[in-house]
Amino acid sequence: MTREPEVRLPAEHEMPAPDNEQTAPARRRRSVSARQASTDLALIAAFAALIAACSLLPALYLGGGLVPITFQTFGVLLAGAVLGARRGFLAVLLYLAVGAAGFPVFAGGSAGLAPFAGPTAGYLISFPLAAAITGFLVQRLPRRRLATSVPLILLAGLAGSFTVTHPLGILGLMWRADLSAQAALLTDLVFWPGDVVKNLLMALVATAVHRAFPDLLPSRR
Amino acid sequence: MRLLHRLPAGVKLAGLLVFALLTVLVAHVVVTAGLLVAVLAASLWAGPGCAETWRVLRGFAIIALLVFGVQAWQHDLERAVVVAGGLLAVVLAANLVTATTPMDAIVDVVVWLVRPFRRWGADPERVALAFSLVIRAVPATMELAAQTRDAALARGLHRQPRAYLTPLVLRTVAGARATGEALHARGLTD
């Protein structure tokens, strides 16, 4: 009596849903996809934890302790670049959900719903989308050669942070701190240099991961 | 006094949402001051208590002061009180909910919220499993980060984050694959 292994978690190499007619190849296919679903779940959880560790690592404080600089965005975009759009998105979403539930994983060891109520909430909310955009682009990039892979992943990461993280961060500042667009943009500008450095670091590390685990991302379509 | 602790998590979260909307929609000094006093009283009396409330207030003080200053300078004092006070009230209310609600209860709410997304492939049980995996993995990953950092320092690579981030990420991926195999072998994700 075997239970029907239902693969509900979005998997990158998802197979067609199994039906009740059990032929040998179908059973093997299902077993492969169930194994993939387990690995995907473990990878999503591991990267959520990695983002937490990146957020908790000793940080640099700018502006008299006002703006904590951590590796948080490094971890967020790396999840997208290494896991791809769907799993990367889910890993970051899981990280935010665990933090919101009260487990101390946000910058400076804070947790709970308070970080979502403050003026920097826009940045937090943008993270899953930024990972998804970066992952979407990296999945479609040539990843064979080191010389092209690093700059292309850097650009994908910058695309993720500049299409969603900075705009949503600015909107959050405008809404929650009631700043003018100009003042919010100036505040956001503080993050730009660090962001570029973290993206470069992300591209270097992601390239190393792609070389060590070539089957982690599905091959280019 | 124990009422806040006994209320269902979902009710508290919905209440927080209403509270946050109130601070944004009703822009009046008296209302803002009332909300702020109410949430402060609840925090001190029924919720997280003096020390915890003070910790949150102190952590948020610089941002609140900055917001207050910018508003007072660009608009007027009344608006500064409404914006900074409202912000402070929501942060305290959010902290009040977190402090009076066990983490499991909030995870249960998240799992409940996932249920309508079933048809798009989301599985509430798997979400709960993912939560417990992360909570176990965070200390382990922090430990791994400390190890890889020490190894990089031992090689004299003081100023190269890459020298410890790369092994940290590679070991994280390898560990996750092993965990995935173990989950599959135990049939935990079937």
Side-chain angles (χ1 to χ4, degrees):
Chain A
M1 193 56 198
T2 53
R3 257 186 76 204
E4 194 77 308
E6 270 184 88
V7 180
R8 302 199 204 88
L9 197 80
E12 226 74 48
H13 328 279
E14 208 168 333
M15 298 289 177
D19 42 38
N20 289 331
E21 286 280 298
Q22 294 203 0
T23 57
R27 210 176 299 130
R28 191 161 60 239
R29 212 163 51 225
R30 266 214 336 260
S31 160
V32 166
S33 66
R35 174 171 300 231
Q36 185 61 46
S38 301
T39 303
D40 283 347
L41 181 66
L43 281 168
I44 288 165
F47 271 79
L50 185 66
I51 300 167
C54 287
S55 310
L56 296 169
L57 278 175
L60 204 74
Y61 282 88
L62 295 184
L66 184 64
V67 186
I69 301 289
T70 63
F71 286 119
Q72 190 180 38
T73 49
F74 163 87
V76 165
L77 297 175
L78 185 80
V82 166
L83 298 182
R86 283 181 105 170
R87 291 177 297 178
F89 175 84
L90 291 172
V92 182
L93 200 62
L94 183 60
Y95 161 71
L96 291 184
V98 169
F103 200 63
V105 291
F106 294 142
S110 63
L113 300 164
F116 291 93
T120 50
Y123 292 101
L124 279 184
I125 290 165
S126 77
F127 286 163
L129 298 172
I133 290 170
T134 304
F136 177 86
L137 294 173
V138 172
Q139 273 172 283
R140 284 156 182 79
L141 292 175
R143 296 184 297 269
R144 286 278 157 80
R145 288 178 49 227
L146 200 64
T148 51
S149 180
V150 173
L152 286 174
I153 294 177
L154 168 67
L155 287 177
L158 289 176
S161 55
F162 279 91
T163 52
V164 289
T165 302
H166 292 285
L168 283 181
I170 289 170
L171 282 178
L173 288 170
M174 286 170 67
W175 185 50
R176 297 300 298 154
D178 212 13
L179 291 177
S180 68
Q182 207 182 356
L185 179 66
L186 281 174
T187 311
D188 182 70
L189 219 56
V190 176
F191 296 104
W192 289 21
D195 211 37
V196 174
V197 172
K198 278 183 265 180
N199 265 295
L200 178 61
L201 204 56
M202 185 280 286
L204 288 166
V205 174
T207 302
V209 178
H210 291 151
R211 288 166 78 83
F213 301 96
D215 56 335
L216 201 56
L217 271 184
S219 52
R220 286 170 72 196
R221 267 160 278 171
Chain B
M1 220 194 287
R2 294 276 129 203
L3 180 71
L4 258 176
H5 290 267
R6 259 190 264 121
L7 274 177
V11 173
K12 277 187 271 190
L13 290 170
L16 179 63
L17 213 62
V18 172
F19 187 89
L21 280 175
L22 264 182
T23 61
V24 176
L25 296 178
V26 191
H28 195 277
V29 185
V30 178
V31 178
T32 306
L35 290 174
L36 200 53
V37 168
V39 74
L40 208 56
S43 296
L44 295 178
W45 187 39
C50 239
E52 164 71 6
T53 306
W54 172 241
R55 197 185 58 77
V56 172
L57 276 177
R58 207 184 42 193
F60 199 66
I62 301 168
I63 294 178
L65 279 176
L66 202 80
V67 169
F68 187 87
V70 169
Q71 293 302 326
W73 170 51
Q74 289 203 325
H75 300 282
D76 52 66
L77 215 59
E78 193 181 322
R79 181 142 162 197
V81 172
V82 168
V83 174
L87 209 54
L88 209 55
V90 181
V91 168
L92 283 175
N95 184 59
L96 183 62
V97 171
T98 304
T100 57
T101 316
M103 200 175 148
D104 311 0
I106 296 188
V107 174
D108 286 346
V109 174
V110 173
V111 169
W112 178 78
L113 285 173
V114 167
R115 272 166 45 190
F117 295 95
R118 218 173 221 158
R119 74 186 73 174
W120 291 291
D123 177 351
E125 278 171 44
R126 206 163 280 192
V127 171
L129 176 60
F131 264 81
S132 59
L133 282 177
V134 179
I135 290 163
R136 281 179 29 158
V138 170
T141 310
M142 295 286 286
E143 173 68 31
L144 200 58
Q147 278 176 19
T148 52
R149 167 170 271 189
D150 287 347
L153 286 178
R155 282 180 289 149
L157 302 166
H158 293 267
R159 297 207 143 265
Q160 278 204 39
R162 188 185 160 194
Y164 67 86
L165 286 174
T166 306
L168 169 64
V169 177
L170 291 179
R171 287 172 73 179
T172 300
V173 173
R177 291 199 146 180
T179 306
E181 286 297 315
L183 288 175
H184 179 65
R186 286 166 178 77
L188 278 173
T189 48
D190 283 358

